[in-house]
Amino acid sequence: MGQLRCESIQQKLEKIVPKYIARFIIWYKTSEDNRCDFKDLMPYEPNFVNKTSPEECMDWLTREDSQEALQVYMKHMKKFNLMKLYDAMYEKALGGDVNAAKWIENFSNSSFFDESQDDIEDFMKDVNIPALKGKV
């Protein structure tokens, strides 16, 4: 197998946007019932000193770097959300839902469980071919 990947979503986003925007994106994309109050988001962050509501920060999301960070966030969360969906459908299938069982069967045969792409990406990460940069 390849090298372990232990980079948090916060770390991924901070490679693209400033820390305060990364934290705001994570807060913004977290469901309302699972996130902290906006006033508790960053009590020591200077960029939040004059911000009293999420609406005042929404302009940050229109920045090109923020939009790239949002894409990274959504890609990062895609696997997590698919796993949650799989678990929910699995429970339904165990309860006798035939459609859920069919979904589980199809999903199990999908590329989600195929690790070959990850192995290729791990290998290509260390290959230095200028023509391939940005295409892997």
Side-chain angles (χ1 to χ4, degrees):
M1 290 271 194
Q3 173 182 351
L4 289 177
R5 292 177 259 159
C6 298
E7 192 173 45
S8 72
I9 186 62
Q10 179 80 31
Q11 291 168 322
K12 286 181 180 182
L13 298 183
E14 285 180 17
K15 289 180 178 179
I16 304 167
V17 293
K19 182 178 183 175
Y20 66 97
I21 293 179
R23 291 188 72 182
F24 179 72
I25 287 172
I26 293 168
W27 179 88
Y28 175 74
K29 295 301 288 178
T30 299
S31 65
E32 288 185 33
D33 56 331
N34 287 329
R35 65 183 178 206
C36 65
D37 289 332
F38 180 78
K39 65 181 165 86
D40 299 328
L41 183 58
M42 286 202 233
Y44 305 107
E45 177 60 54
N47 293 294
F48 274 79
V49 170
N50 297 321
K51 307 293 186 193
T52 60
S53 71
E55 291 74 27
E56 293 180 86
C57 302
M58 294 303 284
D59 281 348
W60 293 341
L61 300 181
T62 63
R63 294 169 40 146
E64 190 172 335
D65 59 346
S66 294
Q67 291 174 10
E68 181 183 343
L70 281 162
Q71 286 178 313
V72 167
Y73 177 90
M74 293 170 74
K75 182 178 179 182
H76 179 90
M77 295 303 292
K78 178 183 173 185
K79 282 185 182 177
F80 177 72
N81 289 328
L82 278 172
M83 288 184 291
K84 285 182 8 182
L85 178 60
Y86 178 87
D87 289 344
M89 294 301 274
Y90 185 78
E91 288 301 317
K92 284 184 175 187
L94 289 177
D97 186 321
V98 175
N99 288 330
K102 181 71 175 158
W103 187 92
I104 288 290
E105 179 183 3
N106 290 337
F107 189 77
S108 294
N109 293 327
S110 75
S111 63
F112 183 81
F113 296 105
D114 180 14
E115 295 181 14
S116 63
Q117 185 64 30
D118 289 339
D119 291 341
I120 291 169
E121 287 178 12
D122 287 342
F123 172 77
M124 293 303 288
K125 184 171 39 177
D126 298 324
V127 175
N128 188 11
I129 302 173
L132 292 178
K133 289 295 181 194
K135 296 182 181 180
V136 177

